[in-house]
Amino acid sequence: MGGSDSAGRLVRPFTLTGGRTRPSRADFTLITTVTAADPQPERAARPQPEHTRILRLCAEPVAVAELAARLDLPVSVVVIMLSDLLEAGRITVRAPRPVTTPDPDLLQKVREGLGRL
């Protein structure tokens, strides 16, 4: 738990997730980018205080791992809360781009070009 919180966390992580141990969705990895929806949906239920904190931190795109670090919560707990927010339409999620293998011919040309310097 956080170093500045000598009394310990007031709310246990399992209470933040309603006792759930698994997210309802599998959209999230550590490097998935999360952004608060703008504008927020009008029909959605009022978010819990922890969800509101996440939405504030997601005003600009942020990775799931960074969000968990800023919240000082386990990634698994943050992912469950993010799943709730995604289902409510309060956040948007962008998966990481797949890594492609570079063209070996292009790499060879770059290597030769660097060798001439």
Side-chain angles (χ1 to χ4, degrees):
M1 312 282 162
S4 62
D5 189 9
S6 60
R9 189 177 303 285
L10 295 176
V11 178
R12 298 284 182 207
F14 68 86
T15 61
L16 299 175
T17 64
R20 293 172 291 155
T21 59
R22 297 186 193 278
S24 58
R25 304 179 62 115
D27 299 87
F28 301 96
T29 67
L30 290 175
I31 58 174
T32 299
T33 305
V34 181
T35 309
D38 186 28
Q40 286 287 303
E42 295 178 18
R43 297 178 305 210
R46 185 172 182 208
Q48 297 295 324
E50 297 79 17
H51 290 112
T52 302
R53 188 170 172 214
I54 290 173
L55 292 171
R56 269 190 255 119
L57 292 171
C58 293
E60 297 292 325
V62 62
V64 171
E66 178 69 19
L67 191 56
R70 289 182 185 179
L71 292 167
D72 193 27
L73 288 171
V75 172
S76 59
V77 171
V78 173
V79 166
I80 292 169
M81 293 192 298
L82 289 172
S83 293
D84 295 343
L85 291 169
L86 183 60
E87 289 175 358
R90 294 190 172 278
I91 61 171
T92 59
V93 175
R94 193 169 90 205
R97 293 185 184 146
V99 177
T100 58
T101 307
D103 178 17
D105 292 332
L106 176 61
L107 291 176
Q108 183 61 33
K109 289 177 184 177
V110 170
R111 182 177 177 210
E112 290 169 1
L114 290 174
R116 291 185 208 140
L117 295 177

